[in-house]
Amino acid sequence: MYQAETHGVRVTAVPSFMEGESSHEQGRYFWSYTIEIVNLSLQTVQLMSRHWFITDGRGEVHQVRGEGVIGQQPVLRPGESFSYTSGCPLMTPDGSMRGFYAMLGEKGEIFDVEVPLFPLDSPYVKKVLH
């Protein structure tokens, strides 16, 4: 579990390698990740957009931007939470994800909320001991 808190909004990420959706022989690896967003602030906020930085095992960074998450732009009142599960394919057996959500506050201000860096590891990663 990986967590970050920004402007009173806590984001938790839990990644999971999906063996059944992956093929080591074909160089295709797939992870699911569950995100929980909790509004710990005193104002109502709405998730407007996402911006992901996905780094593969070769160090190449791919950016993904879009409105909302899983087709939704959830509104969170103080104390409320929203969870969703999505997925990420890579052509390498490891990588990482991080990003941010653009949130809209009650007074019309837009602010970014950090999505913590989390690893995408598979059993096919060659471990190096130093």
Side-chain angles (χ1 to χ4, degrees), residues 3 13 23 26 31 34 41 47-48 58 63 66 68-69 79 93-94 96 111:
Q3 274 188 357
S23 172
Q26 296 176 6
W31 291 262
T34 299
S41 76
L47 190 157
M48 302 305 292
R58 294 183 291 264
Q63 294 188 49
V69 291
D94 65 335
S96 65
F111 58 93

Side-chain angles (χ1 to χ4, degrees), residues 33-115:
Y33 56 90
T34 299
I35 301 286
E36 180 186 44
I37 304 163
V38 181
N39 183 4
L40 302 172
S41 76
L42 299 176
Q43 69 167 327
T44 297
V45 298
Q46 182 176 13
L47 190 157
M48 302 305 292
S49 63
R50 67 188 183 283
H51 187 171
W52 287 106
F53 299 89
I54 304 166
T55 305
D56 68 18
R58 294 183 291 264
E60 293 180 27
V61 179
H62 309 275
Q63 294 188 49
V64 176
R65 300 173 194 248
E67 289 192 8
V69 291
I70 63 166
Q72 299 180 51
Q73 292 180 312
V75 174
L76 300 173
R77 291 173 188 76
E80 289 185 335
S81 65
F82 176 80
S83 296
Y84 72 94
T85 300
S86 191
C88 178
L90 287 180
M91 294 171 57
T92 59
D94 65 335
S96 65
M97 291 180 68
R98 67 180 178 84
F100 62 85
Y101 299 125
M103 306 293 275
L104 175 64
E106 287 179 344
K107 296 180 176 91
E109 74 280 10
I110 299 280
F111 58 93
D112 291 338
V113 169
E114 178 187 358
V115 178

